[in-house]
């Protein structure tokens, strides 16, 4: 199973490590391609990763999650979504 993770902050990094350690293939979705040099996994845009993954984990700020999901609606059909967002804090 290929798991896409949107975002590569502290939550995204930890999720990526845990999924890889459990034997899953991981792809990281980034808002800005220039950040890819800091990521030791396959990377792509949010849309590319959502389209290729079997499951998608959100590791982006809560405030950005609804807009991201709406923009990815065509790529999300039939996908498992793992929502790690928390509306208690802006970070």
């Amino acid at each position: 199973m290929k798991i896409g993770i949107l975002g590569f902050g502290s939550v995204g990094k930890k999720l990526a490590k845990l999924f890889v350690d459990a034997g899953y293939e991981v792809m990281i979705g980034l808002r800005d391609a220039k950040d890819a040099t800091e990521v030791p996994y396959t990377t792509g845009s949010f849309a590319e990763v959502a389209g290729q993954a079997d499951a998608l984990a959100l590791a982006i700020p809560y405030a950005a999650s609804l807009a991201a999901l709406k923009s990815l609606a065509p790529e999300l059909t039939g996908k498992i979504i793992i929502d790690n967002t928390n509306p208690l804090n802006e970070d």
Side-chain angles (χ1 to χ4, degrees):
M1 175 181 274
K2 188 181 296 184
I3 300 178
I5 301 172
L6 299 187
F8 200 63
S10 59
V11 173
K13 289 175 184 173
K14 185 64 174 181
L15 287 173
K17 181 181 180 339
L18 290 171
F19 286 134
V20 167
D21 288 350
Y24 294 100
E25 183 180 348
V26 168
M27 296 180 65
I28 306 297
L30 301 170
R31 283 184 286 199
D32 193 338
K34 71 178 170 118
D35 296 331
T37 58
E38 303 172 15
V39 181
Y41 305 101
T42 302
T43 62
S45 69
F46 281 7
E48 290 168 336
V49 170
Q52 295 177 34
D54 300 304
L56 194 67
L58 301 178
I60 57 178
Y62 173 77
S65 62
L66 184 57
L69 289 173
K70 283 182 178 181
S71 72
L72 297 172
E75 289 88 358
L76 299 179
T77 302
K79 306 281 173 109
I80 298 166
I81 307 297
I82 304 164
D83 184 359
N84 299 288
T85 60
N86 182 341
L88 299 177
N89 297 314
E90 290 188 24
D91 64 350

